[in-house]
Amino acid sequence: MKGRWIKITEAENIPLREGRPVKLGEVEIAIFNLNGRFLTIENACPHKGGPLCDGIVTGSAVVCPLHGRHFDLETGMPVRASEPACLTVFPTRVENGIVMVNIEAGHRAMDSAAA
Amino acid sequence: MKKLVVVGNGMAGVACVEHILKHKPDFDITIFGDETHVNYNRIMLSLVLAGEKSADEIVLNDIDWYRSHSIRARLGVKVARIDRAARLVIDEEGEAAPYDRLILATGSSAFIPPIPGVDKKNVHVFRTLDDTRHLTAKARKGLKVAVIGGGLLGLEAARGLQVRGCDVTVVHLGSSLMDKQLDATGGEYLKRRLEDLGIRVMLPKQTAALTGNGKVEGLRFASGDQIDAELVVIATGIRPNAELARDAGLHVNRGIVVNDFLETSDPAIFAVGECTEHRGQTFGLVAPLFDQARVLAAKITEQPGPAFAAPAPAAKLKIMGVDIYSAGVIDESEPETEVVRYEDPGLGAYKKLLLRNNRLIGMILVGDIEDEHIYMDWMRSAADLSGMRRQLLFPPRGVDTGLSIAEMPDSETICGCNGVRKGDIIQAIHRHGVTTLHQLKERTRASTSCGTCAGTCEKLLRAVAPDFQEETATTLCSCVPFSYERLREIVRGQKLKSVEEVLAVYGNRKGCEVCKPALSYMLDMLWCGEHDEDRSARFINDRVHANIQKDGTFSVVPRMRGGVTTPDELRRIADVAEKYNVPMVKVTGSQRLDLLGVKKSDLPAVWRDLGMASGQAYTKGVRMVKTCVGSEFCRFGTQDSTSAGIELERRLENLFTPHKFKMGVVGCPRNCAEATVKDLGLIGQDGSWQVVVGGAAGKSVRKADLLITVETTEQALEAGELFFQYYRENGNYLERSYDFVERLGIEKIRKETVYAPDEVKRGLLERLARSKALSHDAWLEGAQPFTPTQFVQIQPMQTIEEPQLV
């Protein structure tokens, strides 16, 4: 995989089924803990910029706390097909208890579908 | 009077008797039943097993019915033999009952395969109410259960035991589940759904033996492996009960052989139901048996009637959270059959429609059965679908493509299970003023068995009943498809203490933003705070104890009991506003001050510097008590409203409620603090207090109802507490007190709170006290956070500018 893996934080800092925001340069990401599987998306909801890190997790999706838009954490795609915008997802892994994110390998499902 | 004897007190036999009574009620009737129960709805047993219904709720004919029709009911009596020459039925006691006409409705029994060990203890079948009672008595949390047989009945038993907390494995001989009703793909979707719900499925798996010493301990398979099982349910099919007929010398194959008019080889003897064999076919589903009952009733009363022709089979799986429907031809290898198919593994939905000459002849629906009515309309009316080919899989809703209600003749059967025709329903509406589906069910029994015709019944009601009322669904949400009331029972009964547990056993294991906070509330309320707190199930406001704003910042409203503050508090609020650059300080409508635009990471410091408690302005809980000046200063005041208001707020603060809960206390009927439009209000008068509830001045405006008038402040506070706890326990999540009061009616609320027997009141107050004792000011978490990163912004260990290679 292209890009560099950046060490973010100890895995236990992200509680089960919750998200936490992290600022990396200009990008704010939200990292979620899905029963030990960690997934990362850009933090701002494409609708009105709501902090997705604060949303309730349902299955593998998150619900924006402001207006209830649902996004799949694995693909960044909106759960309801009527929503046009999707989110960038970032490859995430845990190594020796540290959550690592590859910020440069972030991608959007819709862009790749269009390409 | 001619003597009619019916052997068998089940659904088919009794349905036939009901029809006979309609035609010609001058038979002298005796019914023998080997079960001790009156006639009940056997197909609802799965709901009794799952705790959805009580045994009483599935009774079809109570004992008064037998009495009022002068029917001798010989319940719990087995028939030993039939003396055809003398026309006598002889029971096990040797008593003889003479007959002119005899109906055999002996039903069927569970087929028990000849596997070694099936006679061990704790091995059951699932056919009768008594079987169901045995199973429910043994079911407990964590009990290892194996269900042998992955057909309709086996799966219903499996889910029923699993919702009672058992650890269930289904063992199926075939290579896919419900193979009589589903194809392999449908079976696979069903399997996945069951596994999602936490039921293990093993197939194809042949059970070689049941192991254990006396009691069953496990299953050993032909493949050599084995599993543990403390309880085994055998659901491997049914067999017609034809012994009695065979011994009497009647023509019997697999079942009692009957012709198109349900006559056996003896002209005085008839047979109906699952014990019969008609044109080589035996029966296991209820709808054709009701058809038989009608045909036989006409025959026996010598009325002109139709001949029996077995209808196309239709089966619905009655399992909470699993939607399966199968009807008609499902074998696509039949000649000239076209198949239209759709599947979406993400949604767990699979549809297969079978057509011949542009007509629907069969279907399999898994996971999405919403269009079942439309498809059944198409199938029954043999509608020509040539013009619909592009929309077959997603038929336009609300458009009556088949027979419209108006075109349907009065004789058309609406409820196949209970034999209710359109005419019967129209009569019920006109004669008995039926306006809801619930009333229609009670009056006609339509839609009480499989429920498939509920949609058509509603359409009829809508078209015919002048005051049709749609029944509002009270299920919490599709993730946990139970009503609030039922869920409260489940949580209490099964001692579930966490949101995840409820979702795992009763839900879809995911939950959503609707049901998770609702379940969070329910658990907190039911266990009075002694539940397993799951912060991830709460809305963000309830994780960080502040109200999220449009830009992701938060608003902070400290508690200011009764709207009374001090110069010192005001000074601290002003200092905090400056120190943290709070963009706006606003006086709220609730006599408090709101600091808007605070960053999440500043919340603990802001709270610390304020030195005040949380005002709970962000949660579904106790907000505040708004008060007027009262008798201490006001020249019109008759009661000390500020003191009473502050005391009321102290007693209820930090508690959660189904929706936000605002209160007001005023010292005189001038009502300066608007107590009459609050969820709970105390209105002082000279020498007494009025306690009012269910007021609103928000989205809607509603004047509160008077709960009670009392003399002392202490009595007023206690009446308020009673209502408060009653609303906590019986309100649905997100139901404001004003909707709650309208739903239940103030008379009922009075009876169950202030006018309730002392022990009921004491119970409410004790539970309130227990919750209160475990509640605390949420802002204490500023100093002792629930998780290390509850408020703290995570700083990455590496920066993007200078990454180190790892």
Side-chain angles (χ1 to χ4, degrees):
Chain A
M1 189 179 287
K2 283 187 301 187
R4 294 155 300 177
W5 289 91
I6 297 168
K7 286 188 186 179
I8 306 289
T9 190
E10 285 93 3
E12 62 258 30
N13 278 336
I14 303 167
L16 205 56
R17 293 183 298 277
E18 287 191 38
R20 288 291 181 265
V22 178
K23 228 169 163 175
L24 280 174
E26 292 304 300
V27 191
E28 186 162 89
I29 55 173
I31 308 176
F32 290 84
N33 174 354
L34 265 60
N35 296 317
R37 206 156 53 95
F38 290 79
L39 295 169
T40 305
I41 53 170
E42 60 177 300
N43 193 26
C45 176
H47 173 225
K48 300 257 173 172
L52 294 170
C53 62
D54 287 341
I56 286 181
V57 169
T58 155
S60 68
V62 66
V63 186
C64 178
L66 293 193
H67 307 100
R69 298 289 199 280
H70 288 57
F71 295 93
D72 189 83
L73 293 170
E74 307 205 40
T75 62
M77 293 287 285
V79 171
R80 296 188 194 102
S82 56
E83 287 287 313
C86 77
L87 297 162
T88 306
V89 292
F90 302 94
T92 309
R93 68 179 193 216
V94 180
E95 224 167 76
N96 302 321
I98 307 287
V99 179
M100 320 220 321
V101 174
N102 188 334
I103 204 84
E104 288 154 19
H107 65 281
R108 276 173 192 248
M110 275 186 184
D111 295 349
S112 47
Chain B
M1 204 186 265
K2 276 190 181 172
K3 290 187 171 60
L4 172 66
V5 172
V6 182
V7 181
N9 185 39
M11 295 174 77
V14 176
C16 183
V17 170
E18 285 190 321
H19 287 295
I20 289 172
L21 292 170
K22 276 186 211 159
H23 287 306
K24 195 178 177 185
D26 58 353
F27 269 113
D28 170 47
I29 303 173
T30 305
I31 300 179
F32 284 90
D34 61 352
E35 288 186 61
T36 50
H37 310 285
V38 291
N39 178 36
Y40 58 85
N41 191 339
R42 193 179 304 277
I43 59 180
M44 298 290 232
L45 283 178
S46 58
L47 301 183
V48 177
L49 184 61
E52 277 297 294
K53 292 208 179 283
S54 69
D56 291 342
E57 283 176 282
I58 66 163
V59 166
L60 288 174
N61 303 80
D62 57 18
I63 198 73
D64 286 340
W65 176 84
Y66 295 85
R67 280 199 198 115
S68 65
H69 291 99
S70 313
I71 295 169
R72 253 185 313 282
R74 307 283 313 275
L75 303 183
V77 179
K78 279 204 174 73
V79 169
R81 62 190 180 87
I82 302 165
D83 183 340
R84 283 169 54 197
R87 292 199 172 175
L88 292 174
V89 167
I90 294 135
D91 67 30
E92 281 193 325
E93 313 280 299
E95 243 179 85
Y99 66 81
D100 298 304
R101 293 278 178 275
L102 172 62
I103 297 178
L104 298 175
T106 44
S108 62
S109 1
F111 166 68
I112 299 181
I115 303 170
V118 288
D119 51 348
K120 290 192 194 304
K121 254 191 102 178
N122 297 333
V123 178
H124 291 265
V125 294
F126 177 47
R127 274 301 288 166
T128 64
L129 195 50
D130 286 335
D131 295 336
T132 312
R133 288 198 169 133
H134 291 140
L135 291 174
T136 50
K138 286 181 182 170
R140 63 181 154 75
K141 214 168 158 183
L143 183 79
K144 289 198 178 70
V145 175
V147 175
I148 304 180
L152 211 55
L153 202 60
L155 298 182
E156 291 182 355
R159 177 69 167 150
L161 288 164
Q162 188 233 358
V163 299
R164 287 184 180 267
C166 300
D167 180 7
V168 179
T169 305
V170 172
V171 178
H172 187 57
L173 185 64
S175 55
S176 75
L177 293 172
M178 279 179 70
D179 27 22
K180 280 200 188 119
Q181 292 88 12
L182 301 179
D183 60 358
T185 314
E188 183 55 32
Y189 271 85
L190 170 59
K191 175 166 175 272
R192 254 180 263 160
R193 179 69 190 127
L194 291 171
E195 285 168 343
D196 274 350
L197 289 168
I199 295 173
R200 242 184 326 278
V201 178
M202 301 176 79
L203 55 75
K205 213 75 185 155
Q206 188 181 356
T207 308
L210 278 64
T211 58
N213 190 6
K215 283 185 199 165
V216 72
E217 285 167 19
L219 302 186
R220 200 175 61 240
F221 302 115
S223 45
D225 48 340
Q226 47 190 35
I227 58 167
D228 291 341
E230 300 159 274
L231 178 76
V232 172
V233 181
I234 298 184
T236 46
I238 54 170
R239 210 168 237 195
N241 291 329
E243 289 314 304
L244 193 64
R246 185 173 285 127
D247 293 348
L250 295 176
H251 184 196
V252 172
N253 287 331
R254 272 186 304 160
I256 305 169
V257 175
V258 292
N259 64 14
D260 290 350
F261 293 95
L262 290 311
E263 294 168 303
T264 68
S265 53
D266 179 332
I269 304 180
F270 304 83
V272 68
E274 285 176 347
C275 61
T276 63
E277 177 179 326
H278 174 256
R279 297 185 180 228
Q281 191 187 350
T282 56
F283 302 89
L285 299 170
V286 76
L289 308 184
F290 283 119
D291 286 350
Q292 285 190 346
R294 249 191 314 276
V295 170
L296 175 53
K299 176 76 200 167
I300 228 165
T301 53
E302 290 156 21
Q303 309 284 321
F308 173 69
K316 186 180 198 168
L317 187 64
K318 287 174 296 304
I319 294 188
M320 265 300 176
V322 187
D323 296 324
I324 303 275
Y325 192 79
S326 153
V329 177
I330 58 156
D331 181 6
E332 60 191 81
S333 66
E334 288 196 17
E336 289 167 56
T337 305
E338 289 176 302
V339 176
V340 181
R341 215 184 258 114
Y342 157 82
E343 60 179 302
D344 185 333
L347 293 173
Y350 173 64
K351 288 184 177 186
K352 174 168 150 181
L353 305 178
L354 293 93
L355 294 103
R356 193 177 292 153
N357 300 327
N358 279 317
R359 282 168 172 82
L360 188 64
I361 57 165
M363 73 190 88
I364 290 173
L365 307 175
V366 181
D368 176 6
I369 60 170
E370 271 189 60
D371 298 319
E372 160 215 323
H373 303 297
I374 299 175
Y375 292 140
M376 280 311 279
D377 271 352
W378 286 354
M379 206 167 98
R380 282 203 200 99
S381 62
D384 181 356
L385 302 171
S386 349
M388 294 290 297
R389 294 293 298 232
R390 289 169 64 86
Q391 288 161 297
L392 288 180
L393 290 167
F394 302 96
R397 301 251 167 95
V399 183
D400 241 354
T401 44
L403 271 183
S404 84
I405 290 292
E407 287 166 356
M408 200 184 272
D410 277 7
S411 60
E412 175 97 10
T413 300
I414 304 281
C415 173
C417 295
N418 293 298
V420 185
R421 287 164 305 185
K422 181 189 172 192
D424 303 330
I425 292 177
I426 294 190
Q427 212 172 48
I429 293 168
H430 288 327
R431 285 229 191 118
H432 303 285
V434 163
T435 56
T436 66
L437 185 59
H438 182 75
Q439 292 167 347
L440 186 68
K441 285 179 179 176
E442 289 202 332
R443 176 61 59 183
T444 65
R445 285 207 196 129
S447 169
T448 53
S449 295
C450 75
T452 308
C453 61
T456 319
C457 287
E458 279 208 356
K459 274 195 222 158
L460 254 172
L461 277 165
R462 193 172 287 127
V464 182
D467 308 309
F468 170 67
Q469 289 163 15
E470 195 133 5
E471 268 159 53
T472 46
T474 49
T475 43
L476 173 47
C477 97
S478 59
C479 305
V480 216
F482 294 90
S483 71
Y484 284 93
E485 235 161 80
R486 176 78 187 108
L487 269 173
R488 285 191 283 261
E489 275 168 33
I490 289 172
V491 167
R492 224 182 269 128
Q494 307 290 322
K495 301 209 166 25
L496 301 175
K497 299 243 169 152
S498 74
V499 174
E500 286 297 296
E501 247 183 318
V502 179
L503 286 172
V505 183
Y506 295 91
N508 64 354
R509 309 197 135 200
K510 289 185 192 164
C512 71
E513 77 280 13
V514 178
C515 57
K516 281 185 164 187
L519 291 171
S520 262
Y521 167 74
M522 194 180 284
L523 288 161
D524 174 80
M525 181 275 292
L526 284 172
W527 299 115
C528 299
E530 286 177 322
H531 61 295
D532 298 333
E533 172 69 42
D534 176 4
R535 285 296 166 92
S536 75
R538 289 185 177 189
F539 185 58
I540 184 65
N541 287 7
D542 281 309
R543 296 185 200 169
V544 299
H545 318 301
N547 196 354
I548 193 164
Q549 305 294 311
K550 62 182 276 186
D551 59 353
T553 63
F554 292 85
S555 94
V556 171
V557 180
R559 194 160 289 289
M560 209 172 257
R561 295 180 190 93
V564 176
T565 183
T566 62
D568 182 42
E569 276 182 354
L570 290 171
R571 211 169 276 126
R572 277 182 273 146
I573 290 170
D575 288 344
V576 164
E578 283 183 352
K579 180 171 171 188
Y580 296 94
N581 298 312
V582 171
M584 182 189 267
V585 182
K586 168 116 185 38
V587 178
T588 73
S590 302
Q591 299 184 335
R592 317 200 275 191
L593 289 165
D594 190 352
L595 302 158
L596 289 141
V598 178
K599 289 203 280 292
K600 192 200 282 176
S601 51
D602 282 339
L603 288 171
V606 164
W607 298 338
R608 183 197 60 220
D609 290 356
L610 283 171
M612 295 166 78
S614 161
Q616 282 185 288
Y618 45 81
T619 193
K620 311 300 174 211
V622 171
R623 293 295 174 84
M624 79 312 153
V625 180
K626 187 170 182 172
T627 67
C628 70
V629 169
S631 59
E632 287 293 280
F633 288 90
C634 177
R635 64 200 160 98
F636 299 115
T638 54
Q639 294 281 4
D640 183 357
S641 52
T642 43
S643 301
I646 289 169
E647 176 60 17
L648 182 62
E649 192 162 341
R650 271 191 200 286
R651 289 193 188 187
L652 303 182
E653 67 190 20
N654 301 328
L655 290 170
F656 296 103
T657 40
H659 207 307
K660 57 186 170 185
F661 198 82
K662 298 179 167 189
M663 295 169 280
V665 178
V666 293
C668 82
R670 286 173 186 76
N671 194 22
C672 291
E674 301 125 11
T676 52
V677 289
K678 294 282 181 268
D679 296 291
L680 170 62
L682 306 190
I683 301 161
Q685 319 177 120
D686 210 2
S688 68
W689 290 95
Q690 283 188 339
V691 181
V692 296
V693 297
K699 198 163 58 183
S700 57
V701 180
R702 182 180 191 273
K703 185 171 187 276
D705 290 317
L706 178 65
L707 182 70
I708 196 171
T709 304
V710 292
E711 280 176 20
T712 67
T713 306
E714 182 50 41
Q715 286 169 331
L717 292 169
E718 186 181 295
E721 286 176 317
L722 287 170
F723 173 77
F724 177 78
Q725 182 65 14
Y726 183 75
Y727 166 58
R728 266 165 56 86
E729 293 181 3
N730 297 288
N732 297 334
Y733 194 64
L734 297 187
E735 179 180 42
R736 280 297 291 267
S737 75
Y738 45 85
D739 291 324
F740 175 71
V741 169
E742 295 220 328
R743 175 164 67 90
L744 271 62
I746 189 69
E747 292 82 10
K748 179 178 163 72
I749 292 172
R750 274 193 207 117
K751 263 187 234 155
E752 297 186 359
T753 58
V754 287
Y755 295 154
D758 280 345
E759 64 269 24
V760 172
K761 288 202 262 189
R762 212 174 313 124
L764 283 166
L765 294 175
E766 272 170 15
R767 291 189 293 279
L768 175 62
R770 266 173 59 201
S771 290
K772 179 69 184 168
L774 279 179
S775 70
H776 62 271
D777 169 19
W779 286 1
L780 296 175
E781 284 180 11
Q784 285 175 308
F786 194 77
T787 60
T789 54
Q790 187 176 3
F791 307 103
V792 181
Q793 171 88 20
I794 291 176
Q795 296 304 322
M797 296 162 99
Q798 294 175 329
T799 61
I800 190 156
E801 290 81 15
E802 29 183 348
Q804 293 152 26
L805 289 172
V806 285

